[in-house]
Each structure stands twice: as C-alpha cells, then as structure tokens.
Amino acid sequence: MYEKIFEIVQSVDDFVWGWGMIALLLGTHLFMTARTGFIQRKAITKGIPLSVSTEEEADGEVSQFGALTTALASTIGTGNIIGVGTAIALGGPGAVLWCWLTGVFGIATKYAESLIAVKYRVKTADGRMQGGAMYALERGLNMKWLGGIFALLAMLASFGSGCGTQINAISEIIQGNSPIYIPPLVIGIVFAAITAVVIIGGIQSIAIVCEKLVPFMAIFYVIGCLIILGINYDYIIPAIQTICRLAFTEGAAAGGLVGAGIRYALQYGVARGLFSNESGMGSAPIAAAAAKTKNPVRQALVSSTGTFWDTVVVCLMTGLVLVSTVMKNPAINADQISDGGELTTLAFG
C-alpha cells in the first residue's frame, strides 16, 4: 500500500516539476530580467547598502533589514543547505549550476513581486501595514477572488513546503547525529513550542529575532564553508568543471558522483533553486510589505538582495563544498545516498 502511495506521489511530483513548470519558472525569471532592464546589477550595487539603512517617519512595522532577514529566515538553512544536497543526490552535480542560475535570474522576480507588494499594501484600522500578492490581485487587478485563492494556497504551502519540509530535515539530522534516539514527534513538539514563542508576538517579534539570528547563522555557515573550501583547495577547480559538465551531459566523476543528464539536473536544480530563494512564490513580499519605507522601489531592491545572498552566494558555496568534498573523499559513496540532509552532514563531517 505504501509503495503504491509513494509511486502516486512520485508521479505527481514528476508531473508538477516537469518541463512545463521549468519553462514557466525560468520563463518568468527571464521575462522579469528583461522587463526590468537587468535589475540584478542594481540589486547588488544599491540594494545591499539600502538594506542596512532606514527611512525616517515612514509607514511600516519593521525595518527594511528586519523585513529582509524575516524572509531569509525561511530560506537560509533547509532551502540552500539541505536543498542543494537533495539536488545533487537526485539530479547530480550539474543541478548546482541550474540552481545557481535560477537564483541569478530569480533576483528580478523577487524585485518585481516585492515592489507590487509595497505599492498595493494597506493600513489596517490599528495602524498595521499588510500586503502581498493577495492585495495586489485585489487592488491592482480587481480580482479579489483570485487573491483569496492565493491566500488559501499560501497558507497550505506554509505547512507543506514550509514547516513540514524544515522540521523533517531537522529531525533527520538530529537523529543521525544524536547518540540517543529522540522520537520525531518529540522533536516536532519542542520546535513547535520554540517557534510559537516567536510568532505569537506577530511580525515585530519575528523581525526582532530574525535580525539577530539570521546574520549570525549565515556568517557562521559561510565561515564553515570557507574553511572546508580551504581544505579542499585542490579540488575546487575540478568541482567547478564537474558541475558545468554534468549540467548538460550524463557521466560520472570522482567520489561516486553521477550525472543523470540535463533533464534531471535541470529539473531538480530549478526546483531546489525556487525552494531556496522563493522567488515568485509570494511569501517574501508579505514580509516586505511590513517594512518601514515610503518608496516601493527601495524596498524591492532590498528584498531582491535576499535571493542574491541565499542562492547566488550560499547555494553556490554549498554546492562547491559538497562536490569538492565528495570528490576528495570517495568513501562517502555519493551514488548510494538519496537524502540531501545525509549527504550534507557527511560532507561537513
């Protein structure tokens, strides 16, 4: 029975993340890139300085940096650490390139969706700022019914691709590294309680925690990657060559790394790339709409830097760490591992 259910779920997954979805996602990213005049260049040169600045007497509940870190909190970790490991395990090393390119072009989509979220946000009776795709659909396109559908699907996605995926990854890593057995249910309850303490206070409470926690965990992780890449310095160039080669062709590399060809590399690379930065998903603009800002373009530039940090930087570093480590340590047997969390844990171990 369980095997049949797994086959059905796998068939649905293959259909959803088939060529149609890939064309839709990459097509949207490319269209937005062209439509905005390659906004990526401004997102880096102007967005990063703006992210640590403030606007006096602007409407909003949290700082621009707080809105940025709140959005990053849901992507840095499971998305661009475990997610990249999953992409490599299922699509081969070549998936790293497609994951990275999805992030590069996804910056434009993140810019566009954040801009309209701030432009069409509303102030509630108690002075709070609320916005997102649902408000843009209602106020910009006069399609309130579609905004309602989006809000419902976004809520459901927060349980599935959000909370469910993240706590599953946390549980697997804890169980794989803990000297004693801890039931997954216990892990889930503990983390649910910790999360509740933060989110019950609303967007301001979430932003306060994220402003302190996200930069620390990101810097800590990047330093770890740099140390590992320093150890694997002699395999960095071979790793880059392997990633580029297996992004388009089938083949094998040192350490049991196997590329399944462009179809699977593209499929899993794009899928993990989207999950990593959530560009176009509509979740990050909800946080952006609460930022203290008078100018939608300003906040859009700040929000777009989130995709730059978590995919263009962190995803790339994770991919290089995993591929170079596996190539240098063939005992990992990457071809026998299908779980991204396990692969990442072994590589860092």
Side-chain angles (χ1 to χ4, degrees):
M1 176 181 177
Y2 291 107
E3 292 181 357
K4 184 64 176 177
I5 294 176
F6 178 79
E7 291 178 1
I8 294 174
V9 172
Q10 187 64 48
S11 298
V12 173
D13 181 74
D14 290 338
F15 172 76
V16 171
W17 289 106
W19 289 108
M21 179 63 78
I22 291 173
L24 180 62
L25 289 174
L26 284 181
T28 300
H29 292 343
L30 292 171
F31 171 78
M32 290 298 179
T33 297
R35 188 69 180 81
T36 59
F38 198 73
I39 196 65
Q40 285 86 339
R41 55 191 171 85
K42 292 184 179 180
I44 297 172
T45 58
K46 295 185 178 180
I48 294 176
L50 286 174
S51 65
V52 293
S53 62
T54 58
E55 284 189 82
E56 301 297 333
E57 300 180 357
D59 290 332
E61 297 182 66
V62 299
S63 66
Q64 292 178 300
F65 186 67
L68 173 63
T69 54
T70 298
L72 284 173
S74 65
T75 55
I76 290 186
T78 307
N80 49 22
I81 299 176
I82 306 299
V84 174
T86 301
I88 294 174
L90 299 177
V96 175
L97 177 62
W98 295 112
C99 181
W100 185 75
L101 288 174
T102 300
V104 171
F105 292 109
I107 290 175
T109 302
K110 179 65 69 68
Y111 169 85
E113 62 180 350
S114 297
L115 188 149
I116 62 173
V118 177
K119 179 179 180 179
Y120 292 107
R121 66 182 180 175
V122 298
K123 181 183 287 188
T124 62
D126 57 357
R128 295 177 179 272
M129 301 301 297
Q130 295 182 348
M134 53 280 196
Y135 290 94
L137 289 168
E138 176 186 357
R139 304 182 67 207
L141 297 178
N142 296 316
M143 301 174 69
K144 186 175 182 179
W145 62 272
L146 189 56
I149 293 176
F150 169 84
L152 175 62
L153 295 178
M155 180 185 68
L156 295 175
S158 69
F159 288 103
S161 62
C163 301
T165 302
Q166 297 195 27
I167 193 60
N168 179 67
I170 293 171
S171 177
E172 289 181 348
I173 291 175
I174 290 177
Q175 288 182 311
N177 293 276
S178 176
I180 60 173
Y181 174 74
I182 304 176
L185 180 60
V186 174
I187 297 173
I189 292 174
V190 171
F191 277 88
I194 295 173
T195 304
V197 172
V198 177
I199 66 175
I200 287 176
I203 185 65
Q204 291 181 333
S205 174
I206 297 172
I208 289 173
V209 174
C210 291
E211 283 181 335
K212 296 176 174 60
L213 182 61
V214 171
F216 169 77
M217 70 179 187
I219 293 172
F220 184 78
Y221 179 74
V222 168
I223 291 174
C225 286
L226 291 174
I227 292 173
I228 295 174
L229 290 175
I231 296 172
N232 298 343
Y233 72 94
D234 50 337
Y235 277 86
I236 294 178
I237 299 301
I240 294 175
Q241 293 173 336
T242 298
I243 289 171
C244 294
R245 174 170 61 87
L246 296 184
F248 301 95
T249 61
E250 295 184 14
L257 290 167
V258 177
I262 187 173
R263 176 173 180 258
Y264 289 104
L266 185 59
Q267 177 181 350
Y268 291 109
V270 172
R272 294 298 95 188
L274 172 67
F275 182 64
S276 169
N277 57 62
E278 298 183 355
S279 291
M281 190 172 178
S283 52
I286 297 175
K292 294 180 179 179
T293 182
K294 300 177 183 178
N295 191 335
V297 173
R298 180 187 175 104
Q299 181 56 39
L301 286 171
V302 172
S303 296
S304 65
T305 62
T307 300
F308 170 77
W309 290 122
D310 66 32
T311 303
V312 178
V313 176
V314 180
C315 274
L316 178 61
M317 295 187 72
T318 302
L320 289 175
V321 164
L322 295 184
V323 175
S324 64
T325 301
V326 171
M327 293 178 68
K328 191 168 185 175
N329 301 273
I332 292 179
N333 291 323
D335 60 329
Q336 302 297 320
I337 301 173
S338 60
D339 179 77
E342 181 182 357
L343 178 60
T344 304
T345 301
L346 287 172
F348 273 80

